């Protein structure tokens, strides 16, 4: 996986990046807006993240790219700045490309070892920790929201995969925001839009619903960082921007027919479809959409992040 990037970054340079204490330097840059009394009461009722605001949250999609993001302060700073630009969430519910399991399954609700689901990377990556609190009350809430859609399973021993912990390392570097993972139960876009819609009430409860994948993701076509972006990747990424900006969810759900070169952009679908969950979780039609991070890495891997609301 992204082996070219792996080779390009020497162990020595990795150590220097990690030794710089980059995460610590970025710690403390979250916005901490004052919490309204009613929202704070709602947050306390759910019993997690005392002191965190219960502000209305956006839903979002993060382009996580290579696991090397965990030790890349330049790319990481983009995510830190983004997360600091909206209210600090009471908890984060992550739907990652790296956990496909049906039925919809909730991961651990107390701290468990991370899942190092990548191979051939420098040893230092496998020593990384992200000891975020669990979110048991959020898990019960999600079960309640999804119950009308069918069974919701539990995987209490399942820690955070790198689609979750790598971007969160930069978004919330203090690991002090409770995190819960929800599996991708299907790759069907319409079903995932509906899943997101079922989760939409969480935004008003101070929960960040975060899809994690990449808007363009074809590991067979990766090149060195800084390599020119091929036209098929740029065109697919631009198509995503256009339909998302217009909130054309019908088109988004029909991307395999309407987008340019969908099979090149996504020879497998798991990195694209978490975007459908985030789009579905954006409450109601209309609403502001922004793209806080754009561009490419490894030539064709889109770094695009999307904020709904
Ligand atoms: Zn990935």
């Amino acid at each position: 996986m992204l082996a070219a990037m792996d080779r390009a970054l020497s162990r020595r340079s990795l150590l220097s990046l990690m030794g710089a204490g980059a995460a610590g330097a970025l710690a403390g840059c979250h916005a901490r807006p004052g919490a309204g009394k009613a929202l704070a009461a709602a947050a306390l009722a759910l019993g997690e993240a005392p002191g965190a605001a219960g502000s209305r949250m956006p839903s979002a999609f993060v382009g996580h790219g290579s696991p090397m993001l965990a030790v890349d302060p330049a790319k990481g700073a983009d995510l830190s700045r983004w997360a600091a630009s909206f209210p600090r969430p009471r908890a984060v519910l992550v739907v990652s490309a790296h956990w496909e399991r049906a039925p919809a399954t909730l991961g651990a609700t107390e701290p468990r070892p991370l899942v190092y689901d990548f191979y051939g990377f420098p040893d230092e990556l496998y020593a990384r920790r992200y000891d975020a609190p669990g979110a048991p009350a959020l898990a019960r809430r999600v079960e309640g929201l999804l119950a009308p859609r069918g069974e919701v399973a539990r995987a209490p021993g399942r820690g955070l995969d790198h689609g979750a912990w790598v971007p969160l390392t930069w978004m919330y570097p203090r690991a002090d925001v409770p995190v819960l993972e929800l599996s991708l139960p299907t790759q069907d876009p319409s079903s995932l839009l509906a899943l997101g819609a079922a989760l939409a009430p969480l935004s008003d409860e101070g929960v960040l619903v975060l899809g994690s994948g990449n808007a363009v993701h074809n590991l067979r076509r990766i090149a060195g960082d800084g390599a020119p972006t091929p036209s098929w990747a740029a065109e697919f990424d631009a198509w995503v921007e256009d339909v998302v900006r217009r909130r054309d969810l019908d088109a988004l759900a029909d991307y395999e027919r309407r987008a340019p070169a969908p099979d090149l952009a996504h020879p497998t679908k798991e990195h694209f479809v978490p975007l459908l969950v985030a789009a579905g979780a954006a409450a109601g039609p209309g609403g502001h959409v922004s793209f806080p991070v754009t561009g490419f890495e490894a030539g064709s891997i889109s770094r695009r992040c999307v904020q709904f609301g």
Side-chain angles (χ1 to χ4, degrees), residues 132-273:
L138 175 60
R140 291 190 292 275
R141 178 71 171 125
V142 172
E143 281 179 328
L145 290 170
L146 298 186
R149 295 176 47 81
E151 180 188 357
V152 181
R154 293 274 194 142
R158 209 269 184 185
L160 303 177
D161 62 62
H162 83 272
W165 67 262
V166 169
L168 289 173
T169 290
W170 296 105
M171 295 177 77
Y172 303 106
R174 289 180 170 173
D176 55 357
V177 177
V179 180
L180 176 68
E181 264 202 75
L182 172 65
S183 72
L184 263 178
T186 174
Q187 293 185 339
D188 177 65
S190 296
S191 297
L192 292 174
L193 274 177
L195 175 67
L199 299 171
L202 294 175
S203 294
D204 278 328
E205 299 165 17
V207 175
L208 173 64
V209 176
L210 182 67
S212 180
N214 288 101
V216 179
H217 184 270
N218 184 342
L219 294 182
R220 293 172 226 162
R221 298 296 186 110
I222 58 171
D225 231 353
T229 297
S231 58
W232 58 266
E235 288 165 11
F236 187 95
D237 190 60
W239 182 88
V240 171
E241 175 175 351
D242 177 58
V243 298
V244 167
R245 192 183 295 285
R246 293 188 287 105
R247 298 287 296 272
D248 187 347
L249 299 186
D250 289 339
L252 192 65
D254 199 25
Y255 76 96
E256 291 178 273
R257 282 190 289 187
R258 301 195 204 182
D263 293 338
L264 260 181
H266 292 281
T268 58
K269 302 169 187 172
E270 78 290 332
H271 275 72
F272 185 70
V273 293

